[in-house]
Amino acid sequence: MAQPDMVPAAIESETKVSPRSDFRSGLGWTALGLAIVYGSWTMDRLAHLNVSPYTVPGLVPGVLGVCIAFMGAILTFRAISQGALKATPRSGINFAEHARLYVSLAFCLMFGLVLMGHGLPFWLAAALYISGFVALFQWPERQEKGQNLRGLLVALGFGLIVGLVIHYVFEDLFLVRMP
């Protein structure tokens, strides 16, 4: 196995992300982190229930939002120092390069907008989401090996197990009511 410092320069230059792309990503992560911080700050603090400040809803998401915003700012400033503002922008977006990202986004939206809150128990919605995600993203590899049915069964089994484990962890260990 090749060591990271032994990677040929040609391969490294093909896979290196441009400073301009890092700049845009850094801005996006910073904005997302700040939005999370804002959302967690505006959550009900449950002061009327005399809840400890260390257990208020929104504390952990707020801390994670600060971390995301901080890392996004670091990425943005690093990109600026590497010449992101001087680089010429590429013409348009190549949607084929980001197909997996768009499919993942569609799956996440489907889970949040279609599966959640429409009568399905959480564990089943999570199991369907995870099974579909695994099956779709493993399909080309499974098809190449002639293991389509096996891949679907593995995805269904994995989705069911993970959906039940997530439900158990949140409902029984963290005492969070799932929708």
Side-chain angles (χ1 to χ4, degrees), residues 5 11 23-24 28 41-42 53 68 85 121 127 132 136 139 146 151 170 174:
D5 57 342
I11 293 174
F23 179 73
R24 287 191 303 261
W41 186 262
T42 59
I68 291 170
L85 300 178
L136 182 69
W139 187 261
F170 279 91
F174 294 151

Side-chain angles (χ1 to χ4, degrees), residues 152-163:
L152 289 175
L153 292 174
V154 167
L156 284 171
F158 183 73
L160 185 61
I161 290 168
V162 172

Side-chain angles (χ1 to χ4, degrees), residues 25-26 29-30 64-77:
S25 297
W29 285 113
T30 303
L64 293 174
V66 167
C67 292
I68 291 170
F70 179 69
M71 295 299 173
I74 289 173
L75 182 61
T76 302
F77 289 122

Side-chain angles (χ1 to χ4, degrees), residues 13 73 76 80 91-92 95 99 120 127 154 164 168 179:
S13 67
T76 302
I80 291 170
S91 58
F95 289 101
L120 285 178
V154 167
L164 289 170
Y168 170 75

Side-chain angles (χ1 to χ4, degrees), residues 120-136:
L120 285 178
F122 177 81
W123 67 268
L124 181 58
L128 289 172
Y129 167 75
I130 293 166
S131 296
F133 202 91
V134 170
L136 182 69

